[in-house]
Amino acid sequence: MEIKDEWTQEEFLKNKKALAKEGVDVVLIDTILSPIEKANTLTYNPYEMKKYPKGSVFVFYCDTGKATKERLPEYKEKFPEYNCVSLKGGRGYWRVNMQLLDEDDK
């Protein structure tokens, strides 16, 4: 799977599910000390983040997605053995009740 620099919430949910099947961790990283309700997030902490297996995907979010997108090159430099992605629209566009349905559930 090609990993783009920016994911929407829907892409995050789909990719997290697909990558989990391949044994790849996808972690939502809180850069603003404001966890997203009903989402499993990790506060930005390089020490804790480097405990994840190499090749894991870190999806960084801020309030609007602008700051994390601008800082993506910095994150990629700091975590070269990981995939770094910005959450498009940030926390402001996150829909708490959004979920993906399997084809069987429709």
Side-chain angles (χ1 to χ4, degrees):
M1 168 186 294
E2 182 183 344
I3 298 179
K4 301 186 310 185
D5 284 347
E6 191 173 43
W7 286 352
T8 63
Q9 180 182 358
E10 183 177 3
E11 288 171 322
F12 167 76
L13 295 171
K14 283 181 181 177
N15 292 338
K16 181 174 181 162
K17 189 173 185 177
L19 288 167
K21 290 178 182 175
E22 298 176 20
V24 177
D25 290 327
V26 177
V27 187
L28 197 54
I29 306 293
D30 175 3
T31 66
I32 53 173
L33 301 176
S34 185
I36 294 176
E37 185 182 344
K38 295 185 181 180
N40 187 15
T41 63
L42 175 70
T43 301
Y44 180 81
N45 178 334
Y47 176 77
E48 290 297 321
M49 292 166 64
K50 288 183 178 178
K51 291 181 180 179
Y52 281 88
K54 291 172 179 36
S56 295
V57 180
F58 295 145
V59 182
F60 297 88
Y61 75 88
C62 58
D63 284 318
T64 65
K66 185 177 178 184
T68 53
K69 186 169 184 186
E70 289 173 356
R71 294 184 69 186
L72 203 54
E74 177 186 328
Y75 296 137
K76 287 181 176 190
E77 186 175 321
K78 189 168 201 122
F79 303 103
E81 297 170 322
Y82 300 87
N83 295 290
C84 297
V85 178
S86 175
L87 183 67
K88 187 172 186 168
R91 188 176 191 280
Y93 277 84
W94 187 269
R95 300 298 165 247
V96 175
N97 295 314
M98 179 183 253
Q99 57 184 323
L100 298 176
L101 297 177
D102 288 329
E103 288 299 317
D104 300 337
D105 296 338
K106 292 181 181 176

